[in-house]
Amino acid sequence: MAIPEAQIQEWVQEWLRLDKVRTSLTWAPACLRFGTAGLRAQMAAGFARLNSLTIIQTSQGLAEYLLAKIPNTPTAGIVVGYDARHNSRKFAQLAAAVFESKGIIVWWYEDIVHTPLVPYAVKVKKAAAGVMVTASHNPAQDNGYKVYNSNGCQINSPDDDSIACSITQNLEPTVWETQGGPLQKPILDPMKASYYSSIVSQLKLAETNKLPVQFMYTPMHGVGLRYMTAAVEVTTSKGIKGMIVVDQQAQPDPEFSTVKYPNPEEAGALDLAMSTADKANVSLILANDPDADRFAVAEKVDGVWHQFTGDQVGALLAYWILSSFPSPATCDDVMLTTAVSSQMLSFIAKAEGFSVYETLTGFKWLGKTAQDLQGKGKRVHFAYEEALGYMFPDVVYDKDGIAAAAVFLRACSSWSSPWAKLQELYGRYGYFVTTNTYWRSPSGRKTEAVLQRVRNLEDPFPRRLCHRKVVRWRNITTGYDSATGNNIADLPKDPSSRMITCWLEGSKSDDGVRFTVRTSGTEPKIKVYLECRSKDHESAERGALEVLGWIRQQWFNDPELTMDEKFANV
């Protein structure tokens, strides 16, 4: 039963009268901050939460921004999609209603979709923008509002600031309807058909090489099953008979009832898939996160489950794509990665003759860089980042967990096993051991103080870390890079990023260490992405852990910082 508005007003006034320390005022005036990821927050009442009002306000601001920037926005339209989270469909309907009220065509997905279908439709329809209502792998109480530009990429600066400004100028809600009107155009079936054709083209499939691979699949309570099923049907001769699904996680469940966190990166997230695979005598697991834009792999080898890192899957996918080239690679053949991902792709490129470009973290950068390079005549085949994201520019300019799974299955059909192929690549290009961890900070002020202390160790950068010499230092916060002729960083300066990358010389047993320190954009954490390369796994692991221990003692030895338990004893 709805609570009368007068009663709510009475409660609010009584709270303000009794709350002498004014705890309510720490949240009441706050507003959601629209950024390059759009919006992501807990669903609840208030201006700092996601709810029907803040969705309407955001959509009004976005619409007015687009109408001012892109003259043909009304006819180009806006693509709108949603996942299976609580309120996703309702929020998408409200956004669509706002766009229609402004005279803008809405390219409408009539049912739940995986996130990449929104930027895919933006590309195909040449739309003015795309909106996907999703919070990806966040907890069940969260949701989000993700925006794509007319180029099919995630929005980037300064567009995010312009949209945020437009939102503040359009806060009075004008539409509350959720029923679609004549400007709402359904697109689900034609977009799915076109999308799967793009995947088949990416795989360069012929009927004779549709080989079966048996595997266990989990969509992690999300939208992935129907899209994974269709992708398997069009790319493997055995079809869905080769795919066994984790029944308890097969259907959309906005509570994510069998996992603590619906993120395949998290420890324990694949436990149910592994136990189900054990019972079915299946040794390969493929997984998507709830909106199916990320992709994870695990394989059982000699009785032990190995969950692949994003860097390992990235290297395997890149190598298979390389092996599918009709002729030897040249410098015009390009793959992309990020500043916090493994260097293995660069070593493969150096040996095999193609080019690798590095970007800042996030697919807003990978997608844009791919388009810029294509505009210069380069052939951009693939991009990835370590957080289980893989992009195939011929399909979509964003990470795509379904396309990644299809490509991976095709690659598996030519390998004895993914794990064996990875060991082969290590033997050929060197062993790379990554040690990614974090320190939890009590506040943003403490985080900044710690990083400022690191920056001030020496001017312009520290020359050594324990007994290893610093051979290169890049500070994206200030735009400094010791390796360039003018000391200007090869990546865009970003004062808000708080990101430092350090290269250390090799030792008698390894070829050197690279690590990046940056702050999290969503949590009070200082993250470290560290990697050592050597001729064998043991030496690389020893070098990585040694340097991590030094970083802990010399840089982050602060009683207010709490280290990730996994490496707390290093």
Side-chain angles (χ1 to χ4, degrees):
M1 184 176 66
I3 300 172
E5 183 176 343
Q7 179 66 72
I8 296 174
Q9 293 283 1
E10 181 181 337
W11 285 342
V12 169
Q13 293 304 317
E14 184 68 358
W15 177 273
L16 292 174
R17 184 181 70 82
L18 297 173
D19 182 22
K20 301 303 182 184
V21 294
R22 287 292 186 262
T23 54
S24 58
L25 296 185
T26 63
W27 61 264
C31 293
L32 284 172
R33 171 60 183 162
F34 188 92
T36 54
L39 299 176
R40 193 174 293 187
Q42 184 177 338
M43 290 176 284
F47 296 115
R49 296 290 183 262
L50 268 187
N51 49 64
S52 295
L53 175 59
T54 54
I55 289 291
I56 290 170
Q57 292 173 325
T58 300
S59 300
Q60 290 176 165
L62 174 61
E64 292 298 338
Y65 164 79
L66 292 171
L67 289 167
K69 179 186 178 185
I70 305 174
N72 71 331
T73 290
T75 54
I78 300 173
V79 179
V80 179
Y82 55 93
D83 68 5
R85 285 177 173 269
H86 291 300
N87 296 314
S88 284
R89 181 177 175 86
K90 181 178 75 171
F91 289 166
Q93 289 172 322
L94 287 168
V98 168
F99 301 147
E100 281 197 87
S101 75
K102 304 289 184 181
I104 301 171
I105 289 175
V106 174
W107 304 113
W108 173 251
Y109 279 117
E110 312 96 280
D111 203 349
I112 56 175
V113 295
H114 75 307
T115 290
L117 271 182
V118 168
Y120 182 81
V122 171
K123 180 176 74 171
V124 171
K125 289 292 187 181
K126 297 181 172 57
V131 171
M132 176 67 186
V133 179
T134 180
S136 192
H137 53 258
N138 273 39
Q141 66 268 25
D142 291 355
N143 214 324
Y145 187 102
K146 191 172 187 178
V147 179
Y148 293 88
N149 232 324
S150 59
N151 61 2
C153 295
Q154 294 179 35
I155 58 168
N156 208 333
S157 297
D159 289 327
D160 58 329
D161 290 333
S162 298
I163 295 170
C165 181
S166 182
I167 292 169
T168 63
Q169 296 169 359
N170 293 275
L171 295 178
E172 190 68 30
T174 58
V175 176
W176 285 95
E177 290 83 5
T178 57
Q179 293 298 316
L183 293 179
Q184 192 174 107
K185 312 294 184 182
I187 60 171
L188 181 59
D189 287 343
M191 284 302 105
K192 285 196 300 184
S194 176
Y195 170 76
Y196 295 126
S197 294
S198 295
I199 291 178
V200 171
S201 298
Q202 171 71 42
L203 295 175
K204 302 176 178 64
L205 282 175
E207 192 66 34
T208 55
N209 61 21
K210 291 187 178 181
L211 300 177
V213 174
Q214 189 176 49
F215 63 98
M216 182 68 61
Y217 174 68
T218 174
M220 204 71 70
H221 296 297
V223 304
L225 180 59
R226 65 185 67 179
Y227 297 101
M228 184 66 173
T229 299
V232 170
E233 286 178 331
V234 301
T235 58
T236 65
S237 61
K238 200 170 184 179
I240 60 172
K241 293 180 181 179
M243 181 172 78
I244 305 172
V245 181
V246 181
D247 285 339
Q248 300 96 314
Q249 298 175 340
Q251 299 306 317
D253 172 11
E255 290 297 317
F256 310 117
S257 53
T258 69
V259 291
K260 185 176 181 180
Y261 300 106
N263 180 356
E265 280 189 294
E266 293 285 345
L270 294 185
D271 285 355
L272 182 58
M274 290 176 181
S275 63
T276 307
D278 286 339
K279 294 174 184 175
N281 196 30
V282 173
S283 61
L284 180 66
I285 293 171
L286 306 186
N288 291 126
D289 65 343
D291 68 327
D293 64 349
R294 285 179 170 82
F295 170 64
V297 179
E299 185 181 8
K300 194 172 187 178
V301 180
D302 297 329
V304 178
W305 281 104
H306 296 272
Q307 185 167 345
F308 291 69
T309 67
D311 285 317
Q312 291 170 334
V313 174
L316 287 167
L317 289 170
Y319 190 80
W320 184 82
I321 291 169
L322 173 68
S323 69
S324 70
F325 285 3
S327 57
T330 73
C331 61
D332 287 332
D333 292 299
V334 176
M335 298 191 196
L336 306 174
T337 187
T338 69
V340 300
S341 300
S342 172
Q343 300 172 93
M344 187 172 183
L345 184 59
S346 294
F347 278 85
I348 296 174
K350 185 177 181 181
E352 304 298 339
F354 65 95
S355 299
V356 167
Y357 288 78
E358 189 178 275
T359 75
L360 295 176
T361 56
F363 280 85
K364 62 184 179 184
W365 295 106
L366 289 167
K368 181 179 183 301
T369 301
Q371 291 182 344
D372 290 346
L373 289 169
Q374 287 173 331
K376 297 175 182 178
K378 304 292 185 181
R379 298 180 292 273
V380 184
H381 302 276
F382 175 64
Y384 93 94
E385 68 175 2
E386 53 79 36
L388 306 184
Y390 315 95
M391 181 182 87
F392 306 89
D394 289 342
V395 179
V396 68
Y397 290 105
D398 198 13
K399 55 185 177 290
D400 186 344
I402 300 299
V407 176
F408 193 82
L409 284 172
R410 177 65 188 91
C412 285
S413 68
S414 60
W415 303 333
S416 60
S417 87
W419 189 255
K421 188 64 179 181
L422 181 63
Q423 305 316 304
E424 177 191 323
L425 297 184
Y426 282 151
R428 186 177 304 176
Y429 303 109
Y431 285 80
F432 296 78
V433 171
T434 56
T435 304
N436 298 339
T437 185
Y438 63 84
W439 278 263
R440 191 173 293 277
S441 173
S443 67
R445 181 176 298 178
K446 167 55 69 173
T447 298
E448 180 55 35
V450 170
L451 291 181
Q452 189 60 43
R453 187 168 67 242
V454 171
R455 297 187 200 106
N456 293 339
L457 288 173
E458 291 184 48
D459 187 18
F461 62 91
R463 305 297 174 173
R464 307 191 72 84
L465 180 60
C466 203
H467 64 253
R468 291 195 190 232
K469 181 182 178 182
V470 175
V471 296
R472 183 180 176 188
W473 180 273
R474 183 175 65 200
N475 186 345
I476 297 302
T477 310
T478 62
Y480 176 85
D481 191 335
S482 67
T484 61
N486 56 7
N487 292 142
I488 296 176
D490 54 357
L491 294 176
K493 178 181 176 180
D494 184 2
S496 66
S497 71
R498 298 173 179 172
M499 187 167 81
I500 296 169
T501 302
C502 176
W503 287 257
L504 300 175
E505 67 179 351
S507 68
K508 293 180 180 179
S509 59
D510 64 59
D511 299 324
V513 174
R514 185 186 78 164
F515 64 90
T516 295
V517 176
R518 74 177 184 94
T519 56
S520 169
T522 57
E523 301 173 280
K525 291 179 179 178
I526 302 172
K527 295 186 174 183
V528 175
Y529 306 81
L530 186 149
E531 180 177 63
C532 182
R533 178 179 184 266
S534 187
K535 63 182 182 300
D536 60 76
H537 180 273
E538 291 74 17
S539 298
E541 183 175 52
R542 184 167 57 250
L545 293 177
E546 177 186 60
V547 171
L548 180 61
W550 295 344
I551 293 172
R552 180 185 183 188
Q553 290 299 318
Q554 297 189 23
W555 286 15
F556 301 136
N557 189 15
D558 189 305
E560 294 187 63
L561 299 180
T562 304
M563 191 179 187
D564 176 11
E565 292 181 4
K566 184 168 57 175
F567 295 106
N569 295 320
V570 170

